[in-house]
Amino acid sequence: MMAETQLAILFTSIALVVIGLYAAIFVDNIIKKIIGISFIEEGANLFIVGIGYKAGGIVPILTPDMDPTWFASHASYPLPYGLVLTSIVIGASTLAVMLALVMVLYRKYGTLSTSVMLADTSKQEEYNE
Amino acid sequence: MIEFILMIITILSAILALIQKDLLKAAILTGFSGGALAVLFQILLAPDVALTQAIVGAAIVPVFIALAVKKTQRGDA
Amino acid sequence: MNELIPLMVIVPMMAALLLSAFSKYEKFIRILALVVAICLPIIPLLSNYGLHYFGGYQPMTDNVTNIIYHPAITYSFNFMQQIFIGMIGLLTFLVVFIYLTKYKNVSGPYLFLLFMGTAAVTALLLTDDIFHMFVFFEILALAQVGIVAASSIDYSYEMALKYMILGSIGSPIMLLGIGFLLAITGTVNVTDIVAIIRGGLIDATSPVFLLSLGLIFFGWLYASGLPPFHTIKSGIYSKAEPHGAALLQSFTVISMISIVLIMFRIYSTLPIFEVLIVLFSVIAMILGVSMALTQTDFRRMIGFLAVGELGFIGLGIGLGTQFAITAGLFQALNEIVITALLFIGFGAIVNATNEVDTRKLGGLLAYHPKVGIMLLVGGLAMAGVPPLSGFQSKLMLVQASLSCGFPELSILAIMVSIATFVVFVKTFYSMFLSPKPHDLEVVDKDVPKAMVFAMFVLLVVIIALGLFPDVVTSGISNYVGGLLL
Amino acid sequence: MKLYDQIFDVVKKFKKLFSPGPVTNADVSGSLTAEIFIIVSIVIASLLLRHISVLLAGLVTLILAVVLITSIPLIPKFKIEQEDSLNKMLFYAIITLGLIAVFLYWGGLLV
């Protein structure tokens, strides 16, 4: 039961990463591409949370009525959780910046297709003419 | 058991978000995925991460995407 | 004064936040930016070497196993950090000075980005914590995107978005690698991880350890702009304002060496690590220089050259001996200065002619002799002509690869130097010496004095480092000796 | 004669490379330098394989030299592969990621 959960977490996170990488290559719409890329970030976060998880453990918050040694052997590992908090916020801010740039570029090109909007610079010059 | 269901929801809504023709639906499905992930974090004994993920993944990110879709175009073309 | 160590990061970061918050008060932000920019190179010179534990959490010794744990985020400050932070501080000062004198209306958010980038690379150099490194790596990427997007050059938004999308693939992959490392060692402090690996507590041949190397390595490729990221890296240099590009390339070089040194400490037991670094460095040298030879936009050309020169740094670190790593780090220091000089100098030409195509330029030596001469010296330094600083570091690299038993790498390094020389002479000829085309209108105004001043300062540094390399190399060599223990 | 003609055609193809705008002597000769530089440096870099096996290095070097020289001009091909299009850059980035992961997982202990 315990190992199963952790294995399932691993598979889920790898699946999210792979879905994201697939979207990055094969999806043409830029907003979908960005959505896909945010899944990579989520997969990495889930993986790191999975590291700290201890099957059958408790939430790592020490209340006064707990015995510290019992707590130490039963609580899950809190360091990865702290890292993931930072990483989630970074991911959201990156996403916001990307979407802002997309909105600006949409006004110029009038399409969301990557192969038009983000093509080679010399080809874009032809497009503008 | 519930964690397996949540994982399946996460992956399925991620895949569904990418095959939608309507970008607004894709945004909502991203929120689904983020929300399921938040509950999953709670089950994985990380309540603080779950709170952050619930706000960011299930509310802020879909709203950002929906706003971007509103300012650009809704169809996938 | 060990208290100054965190201030090296906090001062530019606070300045950045204040500049952004008070961007309405023009006069205030001018004075604040200038004062902070002057402080930046001075703080590392005043500070003592040592360690700083954030929150004051001293290292703890495990009574049973006698292993020391570092619970706090640790900053370590040594000669190597001092020289690089001093140099990046000097460069930031020059760039902010150019920016403040060039524009009548200064923008607070743009200065915010410049200072934030400086704070991020300073933290990257100082940190001894692998997650701290990741956080500042992301902040640096955001700041770089901002600097590119804020320029008024055509297609800068497109380039910024491309860089950002590639970055948001590179950084989660790096985070996964850090996660793998955390999963097998249980800590994110580099010193602790190294102690665990050296102590044989984990299996250094397990696939998880190897994969963590691969994933972090991919993130490093993105940060340093080695192939396959060399096109985007040269692209963002060419789409940023010239002074911004001068700072961007220094960010790239410093993030490259700081991440690779952390990786070197962790993975140096694996022989494949050095093979990977040398492989990608050689590809970077070949592709960077050969692409630079075919460019007609001279900003893009310098961008590709800068990427090609990065290969030399990687070569030095990949060889892995004390002398080779010293040579690589010295090359990094030289490249920061030389490429900044080239970007600022060519920026002055763009300023005077509004033209970036070498085919449409010519005869500029008559108009801007000072800039021309200084650019020539900078280009010769990049190609490795004695007695300039580029010669010293490249000579060291060639010697190092010979003494490690890789004469092919020496030949390649020399060939790349020659090709760099060809690129530079070709561009210099068609811009400055060839007859002036009839339709070229040279705006008959002086190059901004601040740009000439900045170029002069950088030139002095180049010549000084070329004549007295021992000042830097002996200190760096000691530091590297400490790493290899 | 075929190889001779091919080498002679290289200059014409380089002219096309710079086609919008004037083509100067310096640009074409720069591209020629790049062409020779790329062939020579790839061949020399392949000599590094001798640290694994001398026979392999000899074979690979010879084959690479023949293949590269018969497929000139290389620079237009290289340039098309390294243009600024996001799709190409993403493709190469992810291919590299895959290669690194595969190489380390299965071949990490061989070197």
Side-chain angles (χ1 to χ4, degrees):
Chain A
M1 161 65 199
M2 295 150 194
E4 274 168 24
T5 313
Q6 236 158 6
L7 205 61
I9 293 166
L10 187 66
F11 276 123
T12 315
S13 57
I14 297 301
L16 280 174
V17 171
V18 171
I19 291 170
L21 289 178
Y22 172 84
I25 296 189
F26 292 106
V27 177
D28 189 50
N29 187 296
I30 184 76
I31 290 186
K32 273 195 197 171
K33 203 169 249 192
I34 290 172
I35 290 175
I37 285 167
S38 77
F39 289 143
I40 306 181
E41 186 91 32
E42 284 183 357
N45 290 342
L46 179 60
F47 176 74
I48 294 184
V49 169
I51 295 167
Y53 174 64
K54 181 182 264 176
I58 57 162
V59 173
I61 297 170
L62 182 61
T63 48
D65 55 335
M66 281 182 194
D67 178 24
T69 44
W70 180 86
F71 175 78
S73 59
H74 282 76
S76 54
Y77 189 41
L79 175 65
Y81 301 167
L83 309 186
V84 171
L85 278 181
T86 323
S87 157
I88 289 174
V89 177
I90 291 175
S93 53
T94 321
L95 185 98
V97 174
M98 283 195 286
L99 288 174
L101 283 170
V102 168
M103 283 191 242
V104 172
L105 286 178
Y106 181 77
R107 249 179 267 158
K108 185 171 167 187
Y109 292 97
T111 173
L112 288 176
S113 166
T114 319
S115 47
V116 174
M117 190 190 266
L118 297 174
D120 188 39
T121 316
S122 58
K123 283 174 192 160
Q124 280 167 335
E125 273 157 16
E126 289 164 20
Y127 179 83
N128 275 5
E129 287 159 9
Chain B
M1 195 55 214
I2 183 149
E3 58 260 35
F4 296 112
I5 298 170
L6 283 168
M7 287 169 197
I8 293 167
I9 292 177
T10 310
I11 295 177
L12 268 187
S13 50
I15 294 173
L16 283 177
L18 290 177
I19 58 174
Q20 286 304 316
K21 286 275 177 237
D22 185 353
L23 288 177
L24 212 53
K25 281 183 191 159
I28 292 163
L29 282 166
T30 316
F32 257 77
S33 172
L37 208 58
V39 184
L40 190 58
F41 285 159
Q42 171 66 37
I43 291 169
L44 296 179
L45 304 175
D48 43 350
V49 184
L51 276 176
T52 320
Q53 172 71 24
I55 296 165
V56 172
I60 293 180
V61 167
V63 167
F64 277 172
I65 296 170
L67 275 178
V69 171
K70 189 166 177 285
K71 290 269 178 187
T72 55
Q73 68 182 32
R74 201 168 156 179
D76 175 11
Chain C
M1 289 200 287
N2 268 345
E3 296 76 21
L4 285 179
I5 294 175
L7 280 186
M8 287 174 224
V9 180
I10 293 168
V11 166
M13 203 174 261
M14 279 310 289
L17 295 175
L18 284 176
L19 285 168
S20 174
F22 294 100
S23 56
K24 279 181 190 163
Y25 307 97
E26 180 94 19
K27 207 155 197 178
F28 171 72
I29 61 172
R30 267 178 194 275
I31 295 170
L32 179 66
L34 203 63
V35 169
V36 174
I38 291 173
C39 288
L40 284 181
I42 296 175
I43 298 172
L45 296 182
L46 293 179
S47 174
N48 290 346
Y49 301 152
L51 299 169
H52 179 85
Y53 304 108
F54 272 89
Y57 296 107
Q58 298 294 323
M60 298 184 297
T61 315
D62 189 331
N63 290 330
V64 185
T65 53
N66 265 337
I67 295 175
I68 300 171
Y69 292 105
H70 297 76
I73 291 173
T74 311
Y75 274 5
S76 85
F77 182 68
N78 214 316
F79 179 78
M80 199 275 292
Q81 279 89 354
Q82 185 179 33
I83 193 89
F84 276 101
I85 294 172
M87 199 54 83
I88 191 93
L90 178 68
L91 200 60
T92 312
F93 164 67
L94 293 174
V95 167
V96 168
F97 185 58
I98 290 174
Y99 178 71
L100 290 180
T101 50
K102 190 176 173 188
Y103 293 100
K104 285 221 170 68
N105 301 322
V106 294
S107 117
Y110 188 71
L111 286 166
F112 165 84
L113 293 168
L114 295 181
F115 279 114
M116 209 53 164
T118 308
V121 286
T122 311
L124 274 176
L125 271 172
L126 286 171
T127 186
D128 196 30
D129 186 287
I130 199 164
F131 190 76
H132 200 73
M133 174 193 89
F134 170 76
V135 171
F136 278 100
F137 165 85
E138 285 271 20
I139 292 174
L140 181 64
L142 281 170
Q144 283 175 322
V145 167
I147 291 174
V148 178
S151 78
S152 52
I153 298 171
D154 292 351
Y155 303 110
S156 63
Y157 282 118
E158 283 91 337
M159 203 54 95
L161 183 55
K162 286 173 198 169
Y163 187 67
M164 188 113 225
I165 288 179
L166 283 170
S168 47
I169 290 181
S171 46
I173 297 291
M174 189 175 191
L175 183 63
L176 262 185
I178 292 172
F180 276 32
L181 210 53
L182 177 63
I184 49 175
T185 59
T187 172
V188 286
N189 186 288
V190 178
T191 314
D192 291 353
I193 295 176
V194 173
I196 288 171
I197 292 167
R198 296 265 165 86
L201 292 177
I202 60 160
D203 180 12
T205 60
S206 71
V208 180
F209 191 60
L210 287 169
L211 268 183
S212 76
L213 165 62
L215 298 176
I216 296 178
F217 191 85
F218 185 76
W220 175 71
L221 286 183
Y222 163 72
S224 56
L226 295 178
F229 296 106
H230 60 300
T231 30
I232 186 66
K233 217 50 172 188
S234 60
I236 65 162
Y237 294 158
S238 68
K239 297 295 176 217
E241 297 275 337
H243 50 268
L247 208 53
L248 281 181
Q249 61 85 22
S250 72
F251 291 167
T252 307
V253 173
I254 291 191
S255 56
M256 172 179 189
I257 57 162
S258 47
I259 298 175
V260 84
L261 282 179
I262 288 176
M263 275 162 57
F264 185 83
R265 285 166 64 192
I266 297 174
Y267 296 108
S268 60
T269 47
L270 295 174
I272 193 167
F273 169 65
E274 290 161 3
V275 174
L276 271 180
I277 288 190
V278 169
L279 182 71
F280 278 92
S281 306
V282 167
I283 299 176
M285 286 185 340
I286 295 174
L287 290 184
V289 175
S290 64
M291 290 310 287
L293 272 166
T294 62
Q295 296 298 318
T296 51
D297 175 348
F298 59 77
R299 286 177 311 194
R300 196 66 196 262
M301 189 206 73
I302 302 287
F304 271 117
L305 271 190
V307 173
E309 296 293 302
L310 287 176
F312 281 96
I313 307 171
L315 197 61
I317 290 161
L319 289 172
T321 61
Q322 185 178 358
F323 186 68
I325 297 177
T326 309
L329 292 177
F330 186 40
Q331 165 74 18
L333 186 66
N334 290 335
E335 199 196 323
I336 292 172
V337 182
I338 294 169
T339 321
L341 171 65
L342 291 184
F343 272 120
I344 292 173
F346 282 113
I349 300 298
V350 180
N351 205 23
T353 59
N354 286 324
E355 184 59 66
V356 293
D357 196 331
T358 50
R359 292 172 294 184
K360 295 175 186 161
L361 288 169
L364 288 171
L365 196 62
Y367 294 89
H368 301 294
K370 262 188 277 180
V371 177
I373 299 292
M374 286 198 266
L375 268 180
L376 181 63
V377 177
L380 293 181
M382 184 181 243
V385 173
L388 300 165
S389 59
F391 166 72
Q392 299 287 358
S393 55
K394 288 191 179 174
L395 181 67
M396 283 171 79
L397 276 170
V398 170
Q399 283 174 344
S401 53
L402 274 179
S403 62
C404 291
F406 295 105
E408 304 94 330
L409 290 179
S410 310
I411 298 171
L412 260 179
I414 293 169
M415 272 176 49
V416 171
S417 297
I418 295 171
T420 310
F421 189 77
V422 173
V423 176
F424 193 76
V425 168
K426 176 170 96 69
T427 316
F428 191 79
Y429 168 76
S430 58
M431 284 173 68
F432 286 91
L433 302 176
S434 67
K436 178 173 167 290
H438 296 296
D439 50 348
L440 176 69
E441 286 179 22
V442 180
V443 186
D444 199 18
K445 64 178 179 189
D446 282 344
V447 174
K449 286 225 168 52
M451 276 190 168
V452 179
F453 169 71
M455 287 173 75
F456 181 72
V457 171
L458 294 173
L459 199 66
V460 169
V461 175
I462 290 175
I463 293 174
L465 282 177
L467 293 178
F468 309 105
D470 293 344
V471 181
V472 178
T473 49
S474 56
I476 293 181
S477 183
N478 284 338
Y479 172 79
V480 173
L483 283 188
L484 287 174
L485 280 181
Chain D
M1 288 306 279
K2 192 166 175 288
L3 190 62
Y4 176 79
D5 289 339
Q6 200 181 356
I7 292 173
F8 214 70
D9 277 347
V10 167
V11 176
K12 285 180 197 163
K13 283 191 181 152
F14 282 154
K15 273 189 185 171
K16 270 185 205 156
L17 198 63
F18 299 98
S19 58
V23 185
T24 61
N25 207 344
D27 289 327
V28 174
S29 54
S31 300
L32 271 177
T33 318
E35 182 86 36
I36 297 166
F37 173 76
I38 244 180
I39 294 174
V40 175
S41 54
I42 288 177
V43 169
I44 289 181
S46 67
L47 274 180
L48 279 173
L49 283 174
R50 80 190 159 90
H51 292 276
I52 300 170
S53 150
V54 178
L55 187 68
L56 182 71
L59 274 176
V60 168
T61 310
L62 279 178
I63 293 172
L64 262 182
V66 170
V67 166
L68 287 180
I69 289 175
T70 50
S71 63
I72 53 173
L74 294 166
I75 288 296
K77 292 166 199 161
F78 270 73
K79 229 179 157 174
I80 287 172
E81 292 307 315
Q82 297 176 67
E83 61 181 26
D84 292 345
S85 145
L86 178 73
N87 287 335
K88 265 180 193 157
M89 291 193 286
L90 275 175
F91 173 75
Y92 279 107
I94 292 172
I95 288 285
T96 312
L97 174 63
L99 282 181
I100 290 177
V102 168
F103 183 54
L104 279 173
Y105 191 85
W106 277 288
L109 300 172
L110 299 181
V111 180

